[in-house]
Amino acid sequence: SAPFHGTDVLQTAVAVGDDNNGIVGVAAPIGSPIALYTSYDFAVGIASVLMARGAGAEVINMSYSANVPSIFGFTVWPFEATTAAVRASGALLFASAGNDGRNVDGEDCFLGICWEHTWHTPCENAGVICVGGIGWDSKNRAGNSNFGPEHVDIFAPYTVYRGQAPNNMGGNNTVSTINGTSFSSPYAASVAALIWAADPSLSAGEVWTILRDTAHTSPDGRVNRYVNAYTAVLEAVGVGLDVTLNAPV
């Protein structure tokens, strides 16, 4: 339903600059991509995460989701065990929150006993940083972005510029926009990569702490925080916020 979705995700993260194609990825200056095909079944998802980590990936992005009714939650356990283990190995994992406008922490209750009615995987998996989307030129949640006070950890732009793909060639170097938390997630993951490149001595947990603690606050009660790339990288470099940037004379 979304041809060349992986191409768009990859370009959001690491599209090369200065190549006359109109866009540049967030982590383009430092990113070294490892691209793996992933279908929506858990076996391939597990294999892809393990293959990425085995190939040396330190930041792993998963721009897909599956909504599993709670009664079948046990089917997600092997995948969750995998994401938890990969996170414990020292990598950071990011996943899109989804585009249904839902509360991923939504509950059903009966006789005072409550439980989450749906497991949104991999967003809610152990070890995964779940990313929602904020609207274009806004501090508020994009209308279709999922949210959740417990499991949607951070927000990033929901709408990004889209570069070349075989089904997006409507002219010379045509650039358009594309929407979805599928692009919020690689955006946030790429900022994490920038932080890590600024200080390679940081642990995965320290990178996430900087990304989380430097994030902007939002007037939208459904947005706990959204990415502040500039301040996050300065924090990693160790430069105070009173830095002055001067253009060459």
Side-chain angles (χ1 to χ4, degrees):
S1 63
F4 302 101
H5 177 266
T7 299
D8 295 326
V9 169
L10 193 65
Q11 289 182 345
T12 301
V14 292
V16 177
D18 284 335
D19 63 354
N20 295 316
N21 280 322
I23 65 167
V24 60
V26 177
I30 53 89
S32 179
I34 300 168
L36 291 168
Y37 173 80
T38 306
S39 63
Y40 289 123
D41 67 273
F42 295 146
V44 176
I46 289 169
S48 296
V49 169
L50 292 175
M51 289 172 65
R53 184 59 174 149
E58 294 178 296
V59 180
I60 297 173
N61 175 71
M62 297 171 285
S63 286
Y64 60 92
S65 63
N67 301 333
V68 180
S70 58
I71 194 171
F72 297 116
F74 67 91
T75 64
V76 189
W77 293 346
F79 191 18
E80 180 175 53
T82 301
T83 57
V86 170
R87 173 64 185 84
S89 76
L92 285 174
L93 298 93
F94 291 79
S96 51
N99 309 315
D100 302 314
R102 296 179 181 174
N103 179 359
V104 303
D105 300 321
E107 295 183 335
D108 289 327
C109 297
F110 181 72
L111 297 178
I113 301 173
C114 298
W115 61 93
E116 283 196 19
H117 51 69
T118 305
W119 188 335
H120 295 76
T121 182
C123 163
E124 294 189 279
N125 284 23
V128 174
I129 297 166
C130 184
V131 187
I134 55 170
W136 182 267
D137 194 25
S138 173
K139 299 178 181 179
N140 299 321
R141 180 181 65 93
N144 288 337
S145 171
N146 286 354
F147 58 95
E150 181 180 358
H151 285 117
V152 180
D153 302 291
I154 197 165
F155 284 68
Y158 185 82
T159 302
V160 300
Y161 285 107
R162 181 191 192 199
Q164 294 295 292
N167 65 332
N168 185 37
M169 304 290 285
N172 292 328
N173 299 324
T174 299
V175 172
S176 60
T177 57
I178 192 167
N179 305 311
T181 59
S182 282
F183 313 105
S184 310
S185 185
Y187 192 108
S190 295
V191 175
L194 293 175
I195 294 168
W196 224 333
D199 185 355
S201 70
L202 294 171
S203 67
E206 289 169 334
V207 171
W208 166 234
T209 296
I210 290 174
L211 183 63
R212 180 194 64 205
D213 291 354
T214 59
H216 294 290
T217 58
S218 169
D220 186 338
R222 293 179 171 177
V223 176
N224 49 8
R225 61 182 71 86
Y226 65 94
V227 168
N228 181 349
Y230 177 72
T231 303
V233 173
L234 286 184
E235 178 74 17
V237 172
V239 177
L241 295 182
D242 59 349
V243 63
T244 300
L245 302 178
N246 295 315
V249 177

